[in-house]
Amino acid sequence: LMSKRINSRLRMTFIGCGQCGSQVVSEIESAAGELEGDKSNIAFVGINTSVEDLSSVTLSHKIHIKGSNGAACDRDRSTEALAEGIDDILEELQTYIIKDSIIYLAFSLGGGTGSATAPILASILLEMGYTVGMVAVLPADTEPLKLRDNACHAFDEIEELKPNMASIFLLDNNAGDKLTINRVFASLITGVLCINNKSQDGNMDLAEIQACLKCPSFSMITKTNATKGTTANLIDIANRENNIFAKREDKTVTIMGLSEALSARESKIDVIELRKALGTAPTEFHGYCSESSENVLILSGLMMPYSRIDAMMESVQKEADNVQNSMKALTQVRQSKSIDIFGKKNIPVTVQPTKKGISALDVLKAKRISK
């Protein structure tokens, strides 16, 4: 078997935001550690509000958002903590980012830390001139209401950034076990890191791999070994219900990149049939004889999975009454029904609301402008 050697010219930085994102990045670092070759072209960082969560993952670099003890699914709490420490965080983070790399922010759309910090960090890094993509994890339908509500808000923020971003990989916890999904994605992205074509039939060169990864909107990766690298198998994996990625809306695809393990003469993949099943891309890249002995298919510039998001939003709306009743239980105060038999009058006490001043996010924006 040919060895899996990393493409040392493909530069990538993976930043996990929150517990879920840090776990995803930890899996990628572990998978990349098994590859041969110089790995100075990749970096792995975890950022979290929780010291306990950071200590539970294995990563080369970790950043704790100081002054915070976790988010408890509260996006506002994470935003405020990020605003307080943004200068120090950016200063440290930039020491870990590989020069001229594609930065991927990994996070849970439902988490309190990841869903709040990742879109803000993405916006800042984009303004600073970095190339930024995302690995975002959708909560399952069975997960708590708060997580699904967080996901709806975070998705709206991502949509605003999308035209200026690199690829967005949307993983779906409806597909099964969360840790398994993380490991599968780690295997897929390291498959991309190992694309090394050396064939007279054609090669996916560095610029073409980067074009796939830098294409805005939703992207997917499919991978097989040489033996299973048939047209039918690639189509089946890409379309099956338990695919780790969110279900595609339609056959819209902007770029199709295919790296094959075999030569053109030995190939078991019919590109025409792929187009019929997965969609015809205006741009296609095709390489042969990959040193990794794997077939890697990248579909980039897909339509975002709006039906999946809309269904989640509807499920949140259906439980809106329960949420409002819960909030009343926390804040509603019943008028006194006791009788003052001694004739004393109850003197109402008026408490003036304190002014918090500008919001934490405004503070964050002010710091960014001042810098």
Side-chain angles (χ1 to χ4, degrees):
L1 291 177
M2 296 183 182
S3 62
K4 292 186 179 180
R5 179 173 294 274
I6 194 168
N7 184 337
S8 60
R9 296 191 302 139
L10 180 57
R11 301 180 180 185
M12 300 180 74
T13 300
F14 298 94
I15 302 172
C17 299
Q19 174 70 341
C20 172
S22 294
Q23 288 176 339
V24 171
V25 174
S26 178
E27 289 288 350
I28 298 172
E29 181 169 12
S30 177
E34 298 178 4
L35 304 177
E36 295 185 9
D38 180 9
K39 304 181 185 71
S40 60
N41 61 313
I42 49 176
F44 307 92
V45 190
I47 300 177
N48 211 328
T49 54
S50 169
V51 173
E52 292 84 355
D53 287 345
L54 268 180
S55 65
S56 69
V57 294
T58 303
L59 283 167
S60 295
H61 309 293
K62 299 179 182 181
I63 300 175
H64 175 242
I65 301 177
K66 296 177 182 178
S68 179
N69 297 315
C73 297
D74 189 336
R75 298 180 78 237
D76 290 336
R77 182 184 295 185
S78 296
T79 301
E80 291 171 5
L82 182 65
E84 288 298 318
I86 188 62
D87 293 326
D88 293 336
I89 291 169
L90 284 176
E91 184 177 350
E92 183 176 0
L93 185 59
Q94 288 182 89
T95 65
Y96 303 139
I97 294 174
I98 302 295
K99 184 180 179 181
D100 298 327
S101 66
I102 303 172
I103 299 172
Y104 274 103
L105 298 173
F107 63 101
S108 165
L109 279 162
T113 298
S115 71
T117 59
I120 295 174
L121 281 175
S123 176
I124 294 172
L125 292 171
L126 285 169
E127 289 179 9
M128 296 172 70
Y130 290 102
T131 301
V132 183
M134 287 182 171
V135 182
V137 183
L138 286 161
D141 295 335
T142 55
E143 294 190 59
L145 175 62
K146 182 62 175 175
L147 271 64
R148 287 179 279 134
D149 184 56
N150 283 346
C152 294
H153 292 292
F155 184 84
D156 287 342
E157 293 167 4
I158 292 171
E159 272 289 287
E160 293 180 7
L161 298 171
K162 182 183 71 177
N164 299 314
M165 292 188 64
S167 295
I168 302 171
F169 296 104
L170 284 164
L171 313 184
D172 196 337
N173 279 346
N174 275 340
D177 176 69
K178 298 177 183 179
L179 296 182
T180 300
I181 292 171
N182 294 348
R183 284 192 290 271
V184 171
F185 180 76
S187 174
L188 293 173
I189 198 68
T190 51
V192 175
L193 282 167
C194 288
I195 294 178
N196 285 286
N197 300 137
K198 293 184 178 179
S199 172
Q200 293 181 348
D201 299 322
N203 302 291
M204 268 188 75
D205 60 29
L206 179 63
E208 292 171 345
I209 300 170
Q210 290 175 330
C212 291
L213 297 175
K214 291 181 179 181
C215 183
S217 199
F218 181 28
S219 290
M220 297 173 61
I221 305 169
T222 301
K223 188 180 78 167
T224 70
N225 58 31
T227 305
K228 296 183 179 180
T230 64
T231 308
N233 200 26
L234 282 174
I235 293 171
D236 174 62
I237 295 171
N239 288 337
R240 65 179 52 163
E241 287 296 321
N242 64 342
N243 189 302
I244 67 165
F245 297 99
K247 189 174 182 180
R248 292 180 65 186
E249 290 280 296
D250 52 27
K251 292 183 180 181
T252 298
V253 55
T254 306
I255 301 176
M256 179 186 290
L258 176 61
S259 171
E260 292 199 46
L262 304 176
S263 67
R265 186 182 63 182
E266 301 169 306
S267 174
K268 304 173 186 176
I269 299 172
D270 187 333
V271 176
I272 295 176
E273 291 301 316
L274 276 183
R275 293 173 188 152
K276 290 179 182 178
L278 303 178
T280 300
T283 303
E284 292 183 0
F285 305 126
H286 202 160
Y288 299 91
C289 299
S290 176
E291 289 185 352
S292 67
S293 73
E294 292 179 324
N295 299 282
V296 180
L297 174 66
I298 309 172
L299 300 177
S300 302
L302 311 176
M303 186 71 70
M304 294 289 271
Y306 295 120
S307 295
R308 171 73 168 86
I309 302 300
D310 289 344
M312 185 166 58
M313 289 181 176
E314 289 176 9
S315 74
V316 171
Q317 286 296 323
K318 287 180 180 179
E319 299 183 54
D321 290 340
N322 292 335
V323 174
Q324 291 173 359
N325 289 333
S326 296
M327 298 306 294
K328 285 180 182 178
L330 298 177
T331 59
Q332 185 171 284
V333 179
R334 193 180 72 167
Q335 293 295 319
S336 174
K337 292 186 178 182
S338 61
I339 301 172
D340 183 7
I341 62 174
F342 293 100
K344 294 181 180 179
K345 293 184 178 181
N346 292 325
I347 302 174
V349 178
T350 303
V351 179
Q352 295 294 333
T354 58
K355 295 183 179 180
K356 292 183 64 178
I358 61 176
S359 69
L361 185 55
D362 289 331
V363 173
L364 178 62
K365 290 178 178 178
K367 287 184 178 180
R368 286 162 52 195
I369 293 170
S370 66
K371 287 180 72 68

